[in-house]
Amino acid sequence: MSGIRNSRTRLVGAAATVVLAALSLTACNDGTGVTDEGVSTGASTTGSAPADAPASDASSQGEPTAPVGSEPAANTAAPKGPSSAGKPVTCEGSTTKTVAAPLNRPVNHMLLTVTNTGSKPCFLYTYPAVRFGEAQAVPPVIEDSRPQAVVTLAPGESGYASVNLSAADGSGTNGRTEKSLTVYFHGRSGNESVGAGAHPALPAKGVYVDDSLEVTYWQQSMDDALTW
């Protein structure tokens, strides 16, 4: 009988040991005991990204990159052209177009329009030196028409002057009809012509002029030119 009792005692002790071991493991998993430092099956131990993670960009290697879809910034620096590209020159026949248009009002007047056809601004100095037909002298200028500043034409802009062809009351002398006209351009001093002259067309029947012929200074606007 004593042998059977000893055997049962050993079985009960073993069972108790198993129960205590189970309770110890449960306490560890609940965070109340020493944590398990074993290898986790849900995380990598090498530090590499998971297989389904996006590939790393160059910034991870110290190289700056632009956001996806962005474009490089435009170069806004202005190109450097020749220093003389915008330096004004004197207006003359080869870099301008001149049109001569007889007017009904004021009567016996003609409007000269000069347009800058060059690539640089140009100065229209003083007044047009006009020559009708084979005349040996140019007509005088109306001094009261002098503008406050030299007329400057940007490329494509126009300047104006009017020509008083003859006396409105018929008091002029040496009246005649002219069919050709040359317009010369003055330099800064106003005492000499520069460059090529212009040869604007006149009406087929010509224009009537007499000794009262005179011109205005170049004007920046048409209205100013027609004032005289």
Side-chain angles (χ1 to χ4, degrees), residues 18-85:
V18 172
V19 171
L20 289 173
L23 290 174
S24 176
L25 289 175
T26 301
C28 291
N29 290 336
D30 288 341
T32 59
V34 179
T35 57
D36 183 7
E37 295 184 356
V39 176
S40 170
T41 58
S44 172
T45 60
T46 62
S48 60
D52 59 349
S56 62
D57 58 21
S59 62
S60 64
Q61 301 177 12
E63 298 179 8
T65 57
V68 175
S70 66
E71 297 181 357
N75 182 5
T76 57
K80 295 182 179 179
S83 58
S84 61

Side-chain angles (χ1 to χ4, degrees), residues 71-228:
E71 297 181 357
N75 182 5
T76 57
K80 295 182 179 179
S83 58
S84 61
K87 185 177 180 180
V89 296
T90 301
C91 299
E92 45 101 358
S94 66
T95 57
T96 59
K97 178 182 179 180
T98 302
V99 175
L103 303 173
N104 292 325
R105 292 185 179 181
V107 295
N108 301 345
H109 277 61
M110 182 174 67
L111 179 68
L112 295 179
T113 302
V114 173
T115 303
N116 183 358
T117 58
S119 60
K120 298 180 180 181
C122 70
F123 292 131
L124 272 176
Y125 289 112
T126 62
Y127 57 91
V130 299
R131 178 183 179 187
F132 286 93
E134 300 299 322
Q136 300 299 310
V138 298
V141 64
I142 303 173
E143 286 296 337
D144 288 344
S145 68
R146 184 191 295 269
Q148 294 183 350
V150 175
V151 174
T152 304
L153 304 181
E157 286 188 333
S158 298
Y160 309 88
S162 65
V163 182
N164 296 350
L165 298 172
S166 58
D169 58 4
S171 60
T173 58
N174 296 321
R176 60 203 182 274
T177 298
E178 299 288 0
K179 294 186 176 182
S180 65
L181 171 65
T182 302
V183 178
Y184 296 100
F185 297 85
H186 284 141
R188 181 186 296 271
S189 69
N191 296 323
E192 78 289 344
S193 62
V194 296
H199 302 278
L202 295 177
K205 64 180 181 179
V207 294
Y208 180 83
V209 299
D210 62 26
D211 287 347
S212 63
L213 183 67
E214 57 185 357
V215 301
T216 68
Y217 280 91
W218 291 114
Q219 308 292 329
Q220 200 77 53
S221 74
M222 184 187 300
D223 288 344
D224 288 342
L226 296 180
T227 301
W228 313 95

